[in-house]
Amino acid sequence: MSHFAFQFHDFNAWANEQIFNRLKELPKDVYHQEVQSVFPSISSVMAHVYLSDLGWVEVFSGKSMKHALELAEQLKEQTESKELEEMEAMFFELSGRYKSLLSQKENLDKPLIIENPAGGLMKTGVAELIPHVVNHGTYHRGNITAMLRQMGYASTSTDYGLYLFVKGE
């Protein structure tokens, strides 16, 4: 069996794919439609999740947290303006970076010392932080579900239990 961190990230990629598939079934303007919620649009949520995931893979690859935060700020506006299909391709490519990184055991076990500009030093490892990355995505997929409901649409199931059931077939 593969390492839990690898499997849990695979769940994250699967759940994102479920959201993209559902959004592609809806009218095209839903993706950028403004809604009174935690985020102004679903495209803003997806950009936030993407930039956070990008930041963490940068940190896991040896870049500083400061670099990751600056990169997210630099790319925020252009990422939010992407169309659904472009964002899906970006998530797919980023997922490939994660899979490559997580498939090497030495990366999973590598100790990290991360300097968070807002919180000081943190000693951890990639395998320990993957649940944070996945939980962050899960939380925001919940935002998307609520936003879709506000707009009069149903979402789709992205539960970990469903993922295990589907992947076990």
Side-chain angles (χ1 to χ4, degrees):
M1 179 171 172
S2 65
H3 193 285
F4 176 72
F6 188 88
Q7 178 181 322
F8 207 42
H9 183 268
D10 189 58
F11 154 67
N12 195 52
W14 172 87
N16 287 334
E17 181 181 355
Q18 301 314 298
I19 290 292
F20 279 114
N21 288 341
R22 177 61 182 135
L23 291 171
K24 288 187 288 187
E25 295 171 350
L26 300 174
K28 200 167 185 65
D29 65 332
V30 166
Y31 185 62
H32 290 290
Q33 182 177 329
E34 289 201 16
V35 63
Q36 194 74 348
S37 190
V38 178
F39 286 86
S41 66
I42 292 172
S43 60
S44 293
V45 179
M46 295 305 285
H48 170 77
V49 173
Y50 173 81
L51 292 171
S52 179
D53 287 3
L54 176 63
W56 280 113
V57 82
E58 290 286 309
V59 169
F60 298 161
S61 299
K63 303 281 191 222
S64 71
M65 174 71 76
K66 183 177 186 243
H67 162 81
L69 294 170
E70 288 171 353
L71 181 63
E73 188 58 37
Q74 176 187 358
L75 298 176
K76 184 177 189 269
E77 192 174 309
Q78 75 182 59
T79 304
E80 287 179 354
S81 70
K82 298 287 185 191
E83 294 303 321
L84 179 64
E85 293 77 13
E86 293 174 287
M87 185 59 73
E88 182 180 30
M90 291 166 62
F91 266 84
F92 182 78
E93 181 182 320
L94 185 57
S95 179
R97 280 186 69 187
Y98 269 92
K99 286 179 182 179
S100 177
L101 183 124
L102 297 175
S103 68
Q104 299 170 29
K105 185 171 176 10
E106 64 272 11
N107 288 332
L108 288 168
D109 298 333
K110 180 175 67 175
L112 294 173
I113 299 175
I114 301 169
E115 184 176 353
N116 184 326
L121 291 179
M122 175 174 60
K123 294 179 184 179
T124 188
V126 172
E128 188 174 33
L129 281 171
I130 288 299
H132 166 71
V133 172
V134 175
N135 285 337
H136 179 257
T138 299
Y139 176 80
H140 289 302
R141 286 187 293 273
N143 291 144
I144 291 169
T145 295
M147 294 166 84
L148 286 173
R149 285 231 181 263
Q150 280 182 268
M151 291 184 236
Y153 301 104
S155 188
T156 187
S157 181
T158 59
D159 291 340
Y160 186 60
L162 178 61
Y163 160 81
L164 292 174
F165 177 77
V166 169
K167 291 296 181 178
E169 292 182 337

